[in-house]
Short mmCIF file of all heavy atoms in Angstrom, two decimals:
data_model
loop_
_atom_site.label_atom_id
_atom_site.label_comp_id
_atom_site.label_asym_id
_atom_site.label_seq_id
_atom_site.Cartn_x
_atom_site.Cartn_y
_atom_site.Cartn_z
N TYR A 1 9.37 5.24 -19.90
CA TYR A 1 9.05 6.58 -20.39
C TYR A 1 9.04 7.62 -19.27
O TYR A 1 8.74 8.79 -19.52
CB TYR A 1 7.68 6.57 -21.08
CG TYR A 1 7.45 5.37 -21.95
CD1 TYR A 1 6.45 4.43 -21.64
CD2 TYR A 1 8.24 5.13 -23.07
CE1 TYR A 1 6.24 3.31 -22.44
CE2 TYR A 1 8.05 4.02 -23.85
CZ TYR A 1 7.04 3.11 -23.53
OH TYR A 1 6.85 2.00 -24.32
N SER A 2 9.36 7.22 -18.05
CA SER A 2 9.28 8.13 -16.90
C SER A 2 10.62 8.82 -16.66
O SER A 2 11.68 8.35 -17.08
CB SER A 2 8.88 7.37 -15.63
OG SER A 2 7.62 6.77 -15.78
N THR A 3 10.55 9.93 -15.95
CA THR A 3 11.76 10.61 -15.47
C THR A 3 12.25 9.92 -14.20
O THR A 3 11.64 8.94 -13.74
CB THR A 3 11.45 12.08 -15.18
OG1 THR A 3 10.49 12.16 -14.11
CG2 THR A 3 10.88 12.78 -16.40
N ALA A 4 13.32 10.42 -13.62
CA ALA A 4 13.84 9.84 -12.38
C ALA A 4 12.81 9.97 -11.25
O ALA A 4 12.63 9.04 -10.45
CB ALA A 4 15.15 10.52 -11.98
N PHE A 5 12.11 11.10 -11.22
CA PHE A 5 11.07 11.29 -10.20
C PHE A 5 9.93 10.27 -10.39
O PHE A 5 9.39 9.76 -9.41
CB PHE A 5 10.52 12.72 -10.26
CG PHE A 5 11.48 13.77 -9.84
CD1 PHE A 5 12.12 14.56 -10.78
CD2 PHE A 5 11.76 13.98 -8.50
CE1 PHE A 5 13.02 15.54 -10.40
CE2 PHE A 5 12.66 14.97 -8.10
CZ PHE A 5 13.28 15.74 -9.05
N GLY A 6 9.58 10.01 -11.63
CA GLY A 6 8.52 9.05 -11.90
C GLY A 6 8.89 7.64 -11.49
O GLY A 6 8.04 6.88 -10.98
N ARG A 7 10.16 7.26 -11.68
CA ARG A 7 10.60 5.93 -11.26
C ARG A 7 10.58 5.80 -9.74
O ARG A 7 10.20 4.75 -9.20
CB ARG A 7 11.98 5.64 -11.82
CG ARG A 7 12.03 5.57 -13.34
CD ARG A 7 13.41 5.13 -13.83
NE ARG A 7 13.46 5.09 -15.28
CZ ARG A 7 13.93 6.07 -16.04
NH1 ARG A 7 14.40 7.18 -15.47
NH2 ARG A 7 13.93 5.96 -17.36
N ILE A 8 11.01 6.85 -9.06
CA ILE A 8 10.97 6.83 -7.59
C ILE A 8 9.53 6.75 -7.11
O ILE A 8 9.21 6.01 -6.18
CB ILE A 8 11.67 8.07 -7.02
CG1 ILE A 8 13.16 8.06 -7.39
CG2 ILE A 8 11.52 8.13 -5.50
CD1 ILE A 8 13.89 9.34 -7.01
N TRP A 9 8.63 7.52 -7.76
CA TRP A 9 7.22 7.50 -7.38
C TRP A 9 6.63 6.10 -7.50
O TRP A 9 5.92 5.63 -6.61
CB TRP A 9 6.44 8.47 -8.26
CG TRP A 9 4.97 8.51 -7.99
CD1 TRP A 9 4.33 9.30 -7.08
CD2 TRP A 9 3.96 7.72 -8.62
NE1 TRP A 9 2.98 9.04 -7.11
CE2 TRP A 9 2.72 8.09 -8.04
CE3 TRP A 9 3.99 6.74 -9.62
CZ2 TRP A 9 1.52 7.51 -8.44
CZ3 TRP A 9 2.79 6.17 -10.01
CH2 TRP A 9 1.58 6.56 -9.42
N LEU A 10 6.91 5.43 -8.61
CA LEU A 10 6.37 4.09 -8.82
C LEU A 10 6.92 3.11 -7.79
O LEU A 10 6.19 2.24 -7.30
CB LEU A 10 6.69 3.62 -10.24
CG LEU A 10 5.91 2.42 -10.75
CD1 LEU A 10 4.42 2.70 -10.78
CD2 LEU A 10 6.40 2.01 -12.15
N SER A 11 8.20 3.24 -7.44
CA SER A 11 8.79 2.36 -6.43
C SER A 11 8.15 2.59 -5.06
O SER A 11 7.84 1.64 -4.34
CB SER A 11 10.30 2.60 -6.34
OG SER A 11 10.93 2.33 -7.57
N VAL A 12 7.92 3.86 -4.72
CA VAL A 12 7.28 4.17 -3.43
C VAL A 12 5.87 3.62 -3.38
O VAL A 12 5.43 3.06 -2.37
CB VAL A 12 7.28 5.70 -3.20
CG1 VAL A 12 6.42 6.06 -2.00
CG2 VAL A 12 8.70 6.21 -2.99
N VAL A 13 5.14 3.74 -4.49
CA VAL A 13 3.75 3.26 -4.52
C VAL A 13 3.69 1.76 -4.27
O VAL A 13 2.88 1.28 -3.46
CB VAL A 13 3.09 3.61 -5.87
CG1 VAL A 13 1.78 2.84 -6.05
CG2 VAL A 13 2.81 5.10 -5.95
N PHE A 14 4.56 1.00 -4.92
CA PHE A 14 4.46 -0.46 -4.82
C PHE A 14 5.16 -1.02 -3.58
O PHE A 14 4.76 -2.06 -3.07
CB PHE A 14 5.01 -1.12 -6.08
CG PHE A 14 4.05 -1.12 -7.22
CD1 PHE A 14 4.19 -0.24 -8.27
CD2 PHE A 14 2.97 -1.98 -7.24
CE1 PHE A 14 3.29 -0.23 -9.31
CE2 PHE A 14 2.05 -1.97 -8.27
CZ PHE A 14 2.22 -1.09 -9.32
N VAL A 15 6.18 -0.35 -3.08
CA VAL A 15 6.90 -0.88 -1.92
C VAL A 15 6.25 -0.39 -0.63
O VAL A 15 5.99 -1.19 0.29
CB VAL A 15 8.38 -0.47 -1.97
CG1 VAL A 15 9.09 -0.90 -0.69
CG2 VAL A 15 9.07 -1.12 -3.18
N PHE A 16 6.00 0.90 -0.53
CA PHE A 16 5.53 1.48 0.73
C PHE A 16 4.01 1.64 0.82
O PHE A 16 3.50 2.00 1.87
CB PHE A 16 6.18 2.85 0.96
CG PHE A 16 7.66 2.76 1.18
CD1 PHE A 16 8.54 3.09 0.16
CD2 PHE A 16 8.18 2.34 2.38
CE1 PHE A 16 9.91 3.02 0.35
CE2 PHE A 16 9.54 2.26 2.59
CZ PHE A 16 10.41 2.60 1.56
N ARG A 17 3.31 1.38 -0.27
CA ARG A 17 1.86 1.51 -0.21
C ARG A 17 1.15 0.20 -0.56
O ARG A 17 0.41 -0.35 0.26
CB ARG A 17 1.40 2.64 -1.14
CG ARG A 17 1.95 4.00 -0.72
CD ARG A 17 1.56 5.11 -1.66
NE ARG A 17 0.16 5.48 -1.53
CZ ARG A 17 -0.40 6.50 -2.18
NH1 ARG A 17 0.33 7.25 -3.01
NH2 ARG A 17 -1.67 6.78 -2.01
N VAL A 18 1.40 -0.32 -1.75
CA VAL A 18 0.73 -1.57 -2.14
C VAL A 18 1.22 -2.73 -1.28
O VAL A 18 0.41 -3.53 -0.78
CB VAL A 18 0.97 -1.86 -3.63
CG1 VAL A 18 0.41 -3.23 -4.00
CG2 VAL A 18 0.34 -0.78 -4.50
N LEU A 19 2.53 -2.85 -1.08
CA LEU A 19 3.07 -3.98 -0.31
C LEU A 19 2.62 -3.91 1.15
O LEU A 19 2.21 -4.93 1.73
CB LEU A 19 4.59 -3.98 -0.39
CG LEU A 19 5.31 -5.22 0.15
CD1 LEU A 19 4.87 -6.45 -0.62
CD2 LEU A 19 6.81 -5.06 0.07
N VAL A 20 2.65 -2.73 1.75
CA VAL A 20 2.18 -2.57 3.13
C VAL A 20 0.69 -2.85 3.21
O VAL A 20 0.20 -3.48 4.16
CB VAL A 20 2.52 -1.15 3.64
CG1 VAL A 20 1.84 -0.89 4.98
CG2 VAL A 20 4.02 -0.99 3.78
N TYR A 21 -0.05 -2.40 2.21
CA TYR A 21 -1.50 -2.63 2.19
C TYR A 21 -1.81 -4.13 2.14
O TYR A 21 -2.65 -4.63 2.90
CB TYR A 21 -2.09 -1.93 0.97
CG TYR A 21 -3.55 -2.21 0.74
CD1 TYR A 21 -4.53 -1.42 1.31
CD2 TYR A 21 -3.96 -3.28 -0.06
CE1 TYR A 21 -5.88 -1.67 1.11
CE2 TYR A 21 -5.30 -3.54 -0.28
CZ TYR A 21 -6.25 -2.74 0.31
OH TYR A 21 -7.58 -3.00 0.10
N VAL A 22 -1.13 -4.86 1.26
CA VAL A 22 -1.43 -6.28 1.06
C VAL A 22 -0.94 -7.12 2.24
O VAL A 22 -1.66 -8.00 2.73
CB VAL A 22 -0.81 -6.78 -0.26
CG1 VAL A 22 -0.96 -8.29 -0.40
CG2 VAL A 22 -1.46 -6.08 -1.44
N VAL A 23 0.27 -6.84 2.72
CA VAL A 23 0.88 -7.70 3.74
C VAL A 23 0.31 -7.43 5.12
O VAL A 23 0.03 -8.38 5.88
CB VAL A 23 2.41 -7.50 3.74
CG1 VAL A 23 3.05 -8.25 4.90
CG2 VAL A 23 3.01 -7.98 2.42
N ALA A 24 0.11 -6.17 5.49
CA ALA A 24 -0.22 -5.86 6.89
C ALA A 24 -1.56 -5.18 7.07
O ALA A 24 -2.35 -5.58 7.93
CB ALA A 24 0.89 -4.98 7.48
N ALA A 25 -1.85 -4.15 6.29
CA ALA A 25 -3.02 -3.33 6.57
C ALA A 25 -4.32 -4.12 6.45
O ALA A 25 -5.24 -3.93 7.25
CB ALA A 25 -3.05 -2.13 5.62
N GLU A 26 -4.42 -4.98 5.45
CA GLU A 26 -5.65 -5.76 5.28
C GLU A 26 -5.94 -6.63 6.51
O GLU A 26 -7.09 -6.82 6.89
CB GLU A 26 -5.55 -6.63 4.03
CG GLU A 26 -5.87 -5.89 2.74
CD GLU A 26 -5.91 -6.81 1.55
OE1 GLU A 26 -5.07 -7.72 1.45
OE2 GLU A 26 -6.78 -6.61 0.68
N ARG A 27 -4.88 -7.17 7.12
CA ARG A 27 -5.08 -8.03 8.29
C ARG A 27 -5.48 -7.22 9.52
O ARG A 27 -6.25 -7.68 10.35
CB ARG A 27 -3.79 -8.81 8.57
CG ARG A 27 -3.41 -9.76 7.44
CD ARG A 27 -2.14 -10.53 7.75
NE ARG A 27 -1.76 -11.40 6.65
CZ ARG A 27 -0.68 -12.18 6.66
NH1 ARG A 27 0.12 -12.19 7.73
NH2 ARG A 27 -0.40 -12.95 5.61
N VAL A 28 -4.94 -6.02 9.64
CA VAL A 28 -5.28 -5.18 10.80
C VAL A 28 -6.75 -4.79 10.76
O VAL A 28 -7.42 -4.78 11.80
CB VAL A 28 -4.39 -3.92 10.82
CG1 VAL A 28 -4.85 -2.95 11.90
CG2 VAL A 28 -2.93 -4.31 11.05
N TRP A 29 -7.29 -4.50 9.58
CA TRP A 29 -8.68 -4.11 9.45
C TRP A 29 -9.61 -5.31 9.17
O TRP A 29 -10.79 -5.14 8.95
CB TRP A 29 -8.85 -3.09 8.33
CG TRP A 29 -8.82 -1.68 8.81
CD1 TRP A 29 -9.89 -0.90 9.14
CD2 TRP A 29 -7.67 -0.85 9.01
NE1 TRP A 29 -9.49 0.35 9.54
CE2 TRP A 29 -8.12 0.42 9.46
CE3 TRP A 29 -6.30 -1.05 8.86
CZ2 TRP A 29 -7.25 1.46 9.76
CZ3 TRP A 29 -5.43 -0.02 9.15
CH2 TRP A 29 -5.91 1.22 9.59
N GLY A 30 -9.09 -6.53 9.24
CA GLY A 30 -9.93 -7.69 8.93
C GLY A 30 -11.02 -7.94 9.96
O GLY A 30 -12.10 -8.42 9.62
N ASP A 31 -10.76 -7.61 11.23
CA ASP A 31 -11.74 -7.84 12.29
C ASP A 31 -12.48 -6.56 12.68
O ASP A 31 -12.98 -6.43 13.77
CB ASP A 31 -11.03 -8.40 13.54
CG ASP A 31 -9.94 -7.46 14.04
OD1 ASP A 31 -9.68 -6.45 13.36
OD2 ASP A 31 -9.35 -7.75 15.10
N GLU A 32 -12.56 -5.65 11.75
CA GLU A 32 -13.04 -4.30 12.06
C GLU A 32 -14.46 -4.28 12.62
O GLU A 32 -14.70 -3.76 13.71
CB GLU A 32 -12.97 -3.45 10.78
CG GLU A 32 -13.21 -1.99 11.00
CD GLU A 32 -12.99 -1.21 9.71
OE1 GLU A 32 -12.81 -1.85 8.65
OE2 GLU A 32 -13.01 0.01 9.78
N GLN A 33 -15.40 -4.88 11.92
CA GLN A 33 -16.79 -4.82 12.37
C GLN A 33 -17.09 -5.87 13.44
O GLN A 33 -17.90 -5.64 14.33
CB GLN A 33 -17.74 -5.02 11.18
CG GLN A 33 -19.21 -4.80 11.53
CD GLN A 33 -20.09 -4.78 10.30
OE1 GLN A 33 -19.60 -4.99 9.18
NE2 GLN A 33 -21.37 -4.51 10.48
N LYS A 34 -16.43 -7.01 13.36
CA LYS A 34 -16.70 -8.08 14.31
C LYS A 34 -16.33 -7.67 15.73
O LYS A 34 -17.04 -8.01 16.69
CB LYS A 34 -15.92 -9.34 13.90
CG LYS A 34 -16.20 -10.54 14.78
CD LYS A 34 -15.42 -11.75 14.29
CE LYS A 34 -13.92 -11.54 14.47
NZ LYS A 34 -13.15 -12.75 14.08
N ASP A 35 -15.22 -6.96 15.89
CA ASP A 35 -14.74 -6.57 17.21
C ASP A 35 -15.11 -5.12 17.57
O ASP A 35 -14.47 -4.52 18.44
CB ASP A 35 -13.22 -6.74 17.29
CG ASP A 35 -12.83 -8.21 17.21
OD1 ASP A 35 -13.68 -9.06 17.51
OD2 ASP A 35 -11.67 -8.50 16.83
N PHE A 36 -16.09 -4.58 16.92
CA PHE A 36 -16.58 -3.24 17.26
C PHE A 36 -17.64 -3.42 18.36
O PHE A 36 -18.81 -3.70 18.09
CB PHE A 36 -17.18 -2.58 16.01
CG PHE A 36 -17.56 -1.15 16.18
CD1 PHE A 36 -16.61 -0.15 16.18
CD2 PHE A 36 -18.90 -0.78 16.33
CE1 PHE A 36 -16.97 1.18 16.32
CE2 PHE A 36 -19.27 0.54 16.47
CZ PHE A 36 -18.30 1.53 16.47
#
């Protein structure tokens, strides 16, 4: 039901935000308080 902009938005959210968050960002912040 989305327009072309909506399809691009959803792809950006899951590829460049959710995927980066799950694969890399969570690990970078995993030792946040321990190594403070």
Side-chain angles (χ1 to χ4, degrees):
Y1 318 115
S2 299
T3 64
F5 291 103
R7 295 186 181 97
I8 297 173
W9 178 88
L10 195 61
S11 300
V12 170
V13 167
F14 279 104
V15 174
F16 293 103
R17 297 178 73 175
V18 174
L19 190 61
V20 171
Y21 174 89
V22 173
V23 173
E26 278 186 320
R27 297 181 182 179
V28 172
W29 266 266
D31 57 355
E32 190 174 9
Q33 187 171 4
K34 183 179 67 176
D35 293 338
F36 188 77

